[in-house]
Amino acid sequence: MEIYKGIPVSGGVAIGKVFVFDDAGLRVPRRTVPESRVEFEKSRLDGALASSVGELERLRQRAERELGDEAAKIFAFHQGMLHDRSLTEPMRRRIEAEKVTAEYAVAVEFARLAETFARLGDHSFATKVDDVRDLERHVLQALTGEHKSALSRLEEPAVVVAHELTPSQAAAFHPGTVLGVATDTGGRTSHTAIVAQALGIPAVLGVGQLAEFASDGETVIVDGDRGVVVLNPDEETLESYRAYTLRMRAFSATLGEMASLPAVTTDGTEVCLLGNIEFATEASAVTKLGGAGVGLFRTEFLWLTMDHEPTEEEQYEAYAETVNRLGGRPCTFRTFDLGADKHTQSARIEPERNPFLGLRSIRYCLQNIPMFRRQLRAIMRAGAHGPIKVMFPLVTTLMELRQAKMVLNDVMEDLAEEGVSFDRETPVGIMVESPSAAVMASTFARECDFFSIGTNDLVQYVLAVDRTNETVASLYTPCHPAVLRLMKDVVRAARRQGIEVSVCGEMAGEVEYTMLLLGMGLRNLSVSPAAISRIKRVIRGVDMEACERLARKVGSFDSERQVAACLRDAAWKIIPEAFGGRSADDPA
Ligand code: PEP
Ligand code: MG
C-alpha cells in the first residue's frame, strides 16, 4: 500500500481500478502489449503520423497567411520529417520486435534522432533538436487523442490517473465511467479542478509522482475530501474508507431537505445563494438543489468542449436553454474567459511565456471583436427568455470596461435595428479578480451595475501564486490577510455606491468561509451546485452577530494560519458532519 498526499479539489471518495491517462507531456513509460495488439499498435502509429501531417499542414497554411514564407517552411520541414521512412520504419520495427506501445516506440526513436542532432555540435543542427521535440509532441498528442476516445469507450468504470489534465480533457469525462481523478500537477482552483467538481467526480490534484508509478488495473482510493490517494490499499484501509463513504452518504441524505428551505440565518437575514455552472444542463441541478439562480456561467466551456468557436446560433441555443431551465431565476453570463489554462495556448503557434499574465479573458475578447460581438448577440438574445446579467472577466483597467460596454451597446443597437427582442436594461458588471480592480473598486463601482469577487484569480494575483502550480499550493489561500482586506474594501465600495456584490470563487463554496463572508457584509454567494446544500445548511445554522464577531476577530489576525485555524474551528462547531467526523490529520 502506498499513500500519496495531494490537493483535495473535488469532494467525495472513489474506489476503483486505475486507468493511466498518458499525456504527451509525460516521459513515456515503457509499456508492453500482448502479441494480439501489435498490429493494432502499428495502425495507431500510422493514424497518428497521418493526423500529425494533417495538423502540420493546417499550421503551415496559417503560418503562410499570418507569418510569411520563412515560418511556413518550418512546418513544411516538419511534415517532410514525418514522411521520412528512416524515422518511421524503426518505430514500426520496434513495436513488432519489442511488443511495446506506439507511444513508447515514437518516444524512443525521436529521442535517438534528437541525440544524433545534438551530437553533431553544429548550431544549426542543435536547433533541430527543438524541432524534433516539437514534432514528437505532435505525434504523441495525436496518439493521446486516441487514448482519450479509448477512455470514452471504457466499459468498466475506472479512476483516471494522469500526469496532467487540461480542463477540456477533463470536460470530456463522463461521471458514469470516470469514478475519480488523480493527477501529478494542478491546484485547488485550477479549471481542471472546477470541471471535476462540476461533473461531481472526486479528485485529488498535485499529487507529485503518481502517474509514473501507477499501472492500469491496480486498485486505488481517491479521497477528494482530504487530498489523499492510496494505491493498492490493504483490506483495513478499504474497510475504513467504505465506512467513511457510508457516513458521508448519510450526511448528504440529511441535506436533501435543504433544497426546499430558504437560505436565511437564524436571525432572519436572507442570503441569495446561487450556483456556478459550466454547462447548460447544470442549470437544472442548481434549481433542483435549491439555488436561487446562476451567479456565474463560465461560458467558455461551451467552446472548450466543442474545440471550435461556437457559432452565434450554437451559443444562443445553449444560453437560451440555460435561461429556460432556470424558469425565471436570474442567470449571470460571464463572457468568454479564454486564455491562461483554457484553450488559447494550444491554438497558438508560440505559447505565451506567462499565460496567466497574458492575453486572457476580457483582453482576448477585446482583441477579437467579431468573436466578442457574436457572443454578446447570443447572450442578449437569450435574455429575451428570462432575467440575465452580463459580466466581464479579469477587468484590470477602466478603459477595458468602457470598451466592452461600447461593444455591448453597439450590439444592442444592431439587435434593435434588426427587430430582435432583448432587454436593454440588462445589468452589466465585472468580476473583481485582479488587484487593480479591487484597489480601484470605488471607481469601477460608478460605471457598472454589480461586482462579483473572483477569489480564485484574486488570490493568485494578490499573492503571486499560480493557482495551478502544486509546488506552491501551500501558499495559495484566501485566508491571507491581504486578500481579506482587499475583499472588505470591495464590499464597502459596492455598498457605498449601492451596487450588488457577490463572491463566486471557490471560497464561497467551502463551509469554512461562510460565516466570514456573511460577517464581511456579503449577501450573495455563488457556489458549485454540489456545495449549495451544505452552504445553505451553514447559513441556516448561524446568526449575523456571531458572523460579524468572527469577521472582526479574523480581521485582527496577521497570519493566514491563524485565520485558517479560527475559521475551521468555527465551521466545525456548526457543521461537523461536513468534515466526515475525522480530525484534520487522519489519513484514512
Ligand atoms: C475566479 O477567478 O474566482 C472565478 C470565479 O473565475 P475562474 O475560476 O473561472 O477563473
Ligand atoms: Mg477568474
Side-chain angles (χ1 to χ4, degrees):
M1 174 166 99
E2 296 125 65
I3 298 177
Y4 297 82
K5 276 295 266 179
I7 305 160
V9 301
S10 177
V13 168
I15 304 177
K17 300 283 180 215
V18 167
F19 177 89
V20 181
F21 186 86
D22 284 340
D23 186 73
L26 179 66
R27 185 186 61 73
V28 179
R30 187 176 192 279
R31 288 186 200 286
T32 52
V33 294
E35 177 78 52
S36 57
R37 241 185 99 105
V38 165
E39 279 310 309
F40 178 62
E41 288 300 311
K42 283 190 345 199
S43 69
R44 287 183 65 228
L45 172 66
D46 291 339
L49 290 172
S51 93
S52 302
V53 169
E55 194 203 329
L56 288 165
E57 176 57 20
R58 276 192 297 281
L59 289 173
R60 192 193 63 74
Q61 287 176 9
R62 192 166 140 200
E64 201 169 54
R65 270 196 320 273
E66 295 172 15
L67 306 170
D69 285 352
E70 274 312 301
K73 269 188 205 153
I74 298 171
F75 296 108
F77 169 69
H78 284 185
Q79 283 176 308
M81 280 173 81
L82 288 190
H83 283 304
D84 185 347
R85 291 172 69 85
S86 69
L87 173 68
T88 58
E89 269 312 305
M91 294 177 188
R92 284 192 192 87
R93 282 203 299 273
R94 188 173 293 274
I95 295 175
E96 268 172 16
E98 297 181 24
K99 301 188 186 27
V100 286
T101 57
E103 283 89 343
Y104 183 70
V106 165
V108 171
E109 292 310 324
F110 273 111
R112 280 158 57 96
L113 186 63
E115 225 176 89
T116 312
F117 281 135
R119 262 205 314 269
L120 292 173
D122 179 302
H123 174 70
S124 67
F125 281 119
T127 61
K128 297 268 185 298
V129 175
D130 294 336
D131 287 325
V132 171
R133 296 244 179 278
D134 198 28
L135 208 45
E136 178 189 11
R137 194 176 50 79
H138 276 295
V139 181
L140 286 177
Q141 255 167 9
L143 282 166
T144 314
E146 257 188 38
H147 207 146
K148 224 192 311 179
S149 54
L151 179 68
S152 62
R153 286 199 304 272
L154 256 187
E155 278 169 14
E156 283 279 300
V159 172
V160 168
V161 171
H163 176 65
E164 188 172 15
L165 277 179
T166 64
S168 38
Q169 282 170 333
F173 289 172
H174 194 284
T177 39
V178 177
L179 300 172
V181 167
T183 65
D184 294 347
T185 63
R188 180 178 280 276
T189 64
S190 63
H191 288 102
T192 305
I194 288 166
V195 174
Q197 260 186 41
L199 297 173
I201 299 174
V204 178
L205 307 190
V207 180
Q209 274 189 312
L210 175 66
E212 204 176 326
F213 295 112
S215 300
D216 286 351
E218 287 182 310
T219 301
V220 66
I221 300 171
V222 172
D223 178 349
D225 294 330
R226 304 291 308 283
V228 173
V229 177
V230 188
L231 199 55
N232 298 314
D234 57 27
E235 201 40 49
E236 196 186 330
T237 308
L238 274 172
E239 253 327 295
S240 115
Y241 265 103
R242 284 184 194 124
Y244 171 73
T245 310
L246 288 181
R247 279 203 304 279
M248 290 310 277
R249 265 198 211 132
F251 169 52
S252 296
T254 69
L255 291 177
E257 59 167 6
M258 288 297 136
S260 54
L261 296 171
V264 58
T265 59
T266 54
D267 59 315
T269 305
E270 282 177 27
V271 179
C272 181
L273 186 56
L274 304 147
N276 291 347
I277 63 169
E278 285 75 37
F279 312 104
T281 49
E282 285 181 282
S284 304
V286 170
T287 59
K288 203 164 138 222
L289 291 161
V294 167
L296 168 65
F297 184 173
R298 292 182 165 98
T299 56
E300 61 278 3
F301 278 87
L302 183 63
W303 182 318
L304 295 180
T305 46
M306 289 176 120
D307 245 7
H308 65 267
E309 183 201 333
T311 62
E312 181 185 324
E313 267 335 282
E314 285 169 331
Q315 293 186 57
Y316 167 70
E317 272 168 32
Y319 303 158
E321 181 191 337
T322 311
V323 174
N324 288 333
R325 279 176 186 264
L326 287 172
R329 296 174 188 83
C331 181
T332 302
F333 286 92
R334 179 178 72 183
T335 55
F336 289 141
D337 188 13
L338 292 161
D341 58 343
K342 283 178 292 195
H343 172 68
T344 51
Q345 298 311 304
S346 56
R348 285 172 68 95
I349 290 174
E350 186 69 37
E352 291 174 297
R353 277 185 296 281
N354 282 308
F356 274 105
L357 303 182
L359 188 58
R360 66 168 295 205
S361 313
I362 196 68
R363 303 168 184 176
Y364 187 77
C365 290
L366 291 174
Q367 284 199 22
N368 292 277
I369 297 288
M371 174 204 83
F372 193 30
R373 287 176 56 89
R374 279 190 287 278
Q375 176 170 42
L376 291 171
R377 283 179 63 92
I379 294 175
M380 295 309 288
R381 285 172 58 200
H385 298 263
I388 65 158
K389 295 179 187 175
V390 175
M391 177 160 75
F392 302 124
L394 199 74
V395 171
T396 55
T397 71
L398 210 51
M399 203 47 76
E400 284 168 339
L401 171 60
R402 289 180 184 160
Q403 277 180 304
K405 281 172 67 177
M406 260 164 54
V407 179
L408 180 60
N409 281 334
D410 239 37
V411 160
M412 288 200 274
E413 293 307 316
D414 286 357
L415 290 174
E417 264 176 37
E418 293 164 29
V420 177
S421 343
F422 67 95
D423 178 6
R424 201 174 264 286
E425 299 307 313
T426 299
V428 178
I430 61 166
M431 300 270 304
V432 177
E433 51 183 348
S434 67
S436 61
V439 169
M440 289 181 61
S442 50
T443 312
F444 279 104
R446 287 196 286 272
E447 303 205 16
C448 60
D449 302 317
F450 66 93
F451 285 160
S452 190
I453 307 178
T455 50
N456 302 341
D457 276 312
L458 188 63
V459 170
Q460 81 164 341
Y461 293 125
V462 170
L463 303 182
V465 179
D466 179 347
R467 64 192 265 192
T468 66
N469 184 340
E470 68 286 356
T471 57
V472 287
S474 62
L475 298 173
Y476 181 96
T477 169
C479 291
H480 196 296
V483 174
L484 299 181
R485 279 179 214 172
L486 269 182
M487 288 178 67
K488 209 167 119 192
D489 291 347
V490 174
V491 175
R492 192 179 306 139
R495 277 185 154 183
R496 281 207 185 125
Q497 192 61 35
I499 66 166
E500 191 186 283
V501 55
S502 63
V503 175
C504 64
E506 299 313 296
M507 177 188 193
E510 290 174 24
V511 292
E512 286 91 330
Y513 300 112
T514 315
M515 289 182 76
L516 170 66
L517 295 175
L518 298 185
M520 281 173 132
L522 284 147
R523 297 292 178 268
N524 298 277
L525 303 178
S526 193
V527 308
S528 71
I532 290 177
S533 345
R534 59 173 188 263
I535 297 298
K536 201 187 268 188
R537 168 86 176 270
V538 179
I539 293 170
R540 293 180 57 82
V542 297
D543 69 83
M544 283 312 302
E545 212 184 294
C547 295
E548 281 162 10
R549 213 170 20 223
L550 183 69
R552 274 196 303 275
K553 185 171 172 191
V554 160
S556 70
F557 293 151
D558 294 328
S559 96
E560 57 280 14
R561 283 181 184 220
Q562 278 173 301
V563 173
C566 177
L567 294 181
R568 192 176 163 85
D569 218 47
W572 258 86
K573 292 191 181 116
I574 303 292
I575 189 165
E577 310 93 311
F579 298 86
R582 303 190 301 193
S583 74
D585 18 63
D586 175 9

